[in-house]
Amino acid sequence: MNVRRSAAVLAAVAVIGAATPAAADPSPSPSQAFPSALYGDKDPKFDGVWRQSLALLAQDTVGVKPAAKSVQWLVRQQCADGSFASYRPDPTTACDAKTMLDTNATSAAVQALTALGGHDDVTRKAVGWLKAVQNKDGGWGYSPGGASDTNSTSIVIGALAAAGEKPDQVEKDGKSPYDALLKLALPCGGDGDGAFAFQPDKKGELAANADATAAGVLGALGTGMVVEPGKKSDATCEKAATPRQAAANGAGYLTAALAKDGDHLMSALAGAEPQPDFGNTADAVVALAAQGDTAQAEKSVRWLEKNSASWAAQSGPAAYAQLILAAHATGTNPRDFGGADLVKQLGATGPAPQTAGKTTSGASDEKEDSGSDFFGVWWYVGICLVAGIGIGFLFTGRKKQQQL
């Protein structure tokens, strides 16, 4: 999933000035800056809506009713045209031409708010916007108008399905999202062996990408991020003439990749030693479970139980949510995940969830969040002054994903 967040940097570069003051004392501090309703305490500029949506979706999946103000914060992030940006520090300010709209954030919000229920107007507008920015090849890019990629197209498919749409009937110039996915599927044999690429490279060539493959399997199956184990599949890699066959091919690629490195995926940055890729391993577990390849999914979720604790603690709410969704997909207890209570750990990164029958005062929540959003505006200004910090890391994350 990291490729979706780091891709936002490419759009952000255009709005970051080359010259900044030699020294700046960012004020207020980050702890003051972020809305109290937001999950996580790291800069939400590129992933605020994304991680909030995953946190709420994971809580709902395990029967936890999220805090009302956290749901309301997500709803208020929507622009008037139905879209969501990665993060809007001041949702009282209308979106304009400079707002960096995000198909991935919009789709994640649709999946979360549809699961929670009671937000039909919000999700209907969001789906309408997604349809309006569909590319001529039937797919979507990270930003509206950007070249279609497997990850973005797949999560939009998940949002359409969650909202009751039939993805194969959502067309632009006669092309559906499945047409776009099939063009990004690699043939059987060779290094790709049925995987999905993220996008074609500058020469139009496709390269296998594990993150894109996990997303592509779900997209080709027409499902979102919450899955139940599918019917066992014994399909072998064949020409991907249908979305179902493309999903089977992609699952076969993931199974082989996971088994090769000890039931988990690896990532490698240029000049650095390969490292375990916990997030993509969790996504692969969900994809394999949905396809019905449960044997490898269960082996990999056991590996995550033993090894993912430090990564999740460092990465925050989206990581806990990914693990919860992987646990759910394999019938694993997320409240005893290698001895850890993922549900409790996720809850600790944001407002305490509601207990059964307990209601939260909307007026109180609105007042508290309004103050936090005010500080968020000043933090947004401050972070632009120090935007160079971490940019290299995010670009490297994008490069890492493309090498998988």
Side-chain angles (χ1 to χ4, degrees):
M1 292 186 182
N2 297 334
V3 69
R4 303 185 184 117
R5 302 300 94 210
S6 54
V9 180
L10 298 177
V13 170
V15 298
I16 297 174
T20 57
D25 180 17
S27 180
S29 67
S31 62
Q32 295 175 298
F34 306 141
S36 63
L38 180 66
Y39 279 82
D41 59 4
K42 296 181 180 179
D43 178 14
K45 185 175 181 179
F46 297 114
D47 76 338
V49 168
W50 176 263
R51 75 192 192 206
Q52 190 83 349
S53 298
L54 262 65
L56 300 180
L57 185 62
Q59 287 184 325
D60 178 78
T61 300
V62 295
V64 172
K65 188 175 183 180
K69 68 178 183 179
S70 291
V71 180
Q72 181 64 12
W73 180 89
L74 181 58
V75 169
R76 293 179 67 217
Q77 287 287 300
Q78 188 175 43
C79 298
D81 64 1
S83 65
F84 284 77
S86 300
Y87 173 63
R88 295 172 60 202
D90 180 11
T92 65
T93 300
C95 300
D96 57 25
K98 295 182 180 180
T99 304
M100 294 185 293
L101 304 180
D102 180 344
T103 63
N104 289 225
T106 301
S107 299
V110 168
Q111 293 192 46
L113 293 173
T114 299
L116 292 168
H119 303 282
D120 290 350
D121 290 342
V122 175
T123 57
R124 187 181 304 112
K125 288 178 63 178
V127 168
W129 179 79
L130 289 169
K131 290 181 177 180
V133 298
Q134 185 177 15
N135 290 334
K136 292 182 179 180
D137 63 4
W140 286 265
Y142 180 92
S143 300
S148 298
D149 66 76
T150 295
N151 297 65
S152 300
T153 300
S154 296
I155 193 172
V156 173
I157 288 174
L160 294 173
E165 299 280 344
K166 294 182 178 180
D168 62 331
Q169 296 179 10
V170 176
E171 297 183 340
K172 184 70 172 286
D173 290 354
K175 300 291 186 181
S176 80
Y178 296 123
D179 292 310
L181 283 184
L182 290 178
K183 284 188 176 182
L184 292 166
L186 277 76
C188 300
D191 293 336
D193 202 20
F196 284 88
F198 174 66
Q199 285 177 329
D201 63 18
K202 293 181 180 179
K203 296 181 180 180
E205 300 293 328
L206 300 179
N209 182 301
D211 182 33
T213 302
V217 170
L218 292 182
L221 291 173
T223 188
M225 292 183 280
V226 179
V227 307
E228 305 291 340
K231 183 178 180 181
K232 180 175 175 55
S233 171
D234 296 318
T236 58
C237 195
E238 300 177 5
K239 182 179 179 180
T242 66
R244 172 65 68 174
Q245 184 61 53
N249 293 351
Y253 172 85
L254 289 175
T255 296
L258 289 162
K260 175 183 176 182
D261 290 308
D263 298 326
H264 63 281
L265 297 174
M266 299 289 290
S267 64
L269 301 178
E273 291 293 324
Q275 299 291 328
D277 194 327
F278 301 97
N280 284 345
T281 298
D283 292 345
V285 166
V286 175
L288 290 179
Q291 171 62 20
D293 294 351
T294 56
Q296 183 59 58
E298 290 172 359
K299 290 179 182 178
S300 294
V301 86
R302 299 287 89 80
W303 182 88
L304 287 169
E305 282 189 289
K306 295 177 181 178
N307 298 283
S308 64
S310 296
W311 165 76
Q314 182 179 13
S315 300
Y320 286 122
Q322 284 178 268
L323 293 175
I324 289 173
L325 296 178
H328 174 79
T330 55
T332 303
N333 184 2
R335 291 180 171 84
D336 185 14
F337 194 81
D341 186 339
L342 296 176
V343 179
K344 182 178 180 180
Q345 290 173 326
L346 171 60
T349 67
Q354 299 183 68
T355 56
K358 182 179 180 180
T359 58
T360 305
S361 170
S364 174
D365 292 340
E366 184 76 14
K367 180 178 179 180
E368 183 175 2
D369 274 355
S370 295
S372 298
D373 287 333
F374 172 78
F375 285 117
V377 175
W378 291 104
W379 171 242
Y380 185 78
V381 174
I383 197 169
C384 286
L385 297 177
V386 295
I389 301 174
I391 290 294
F393 172 77
L394 287 168
F395 269 121
T396 304
R398 171 64 178 270
K399 183 176 181 181
K400 176 194 74 172
Q401 295 296 346
Q402 291 177 330
Q403 291 175 335
L404 291 181

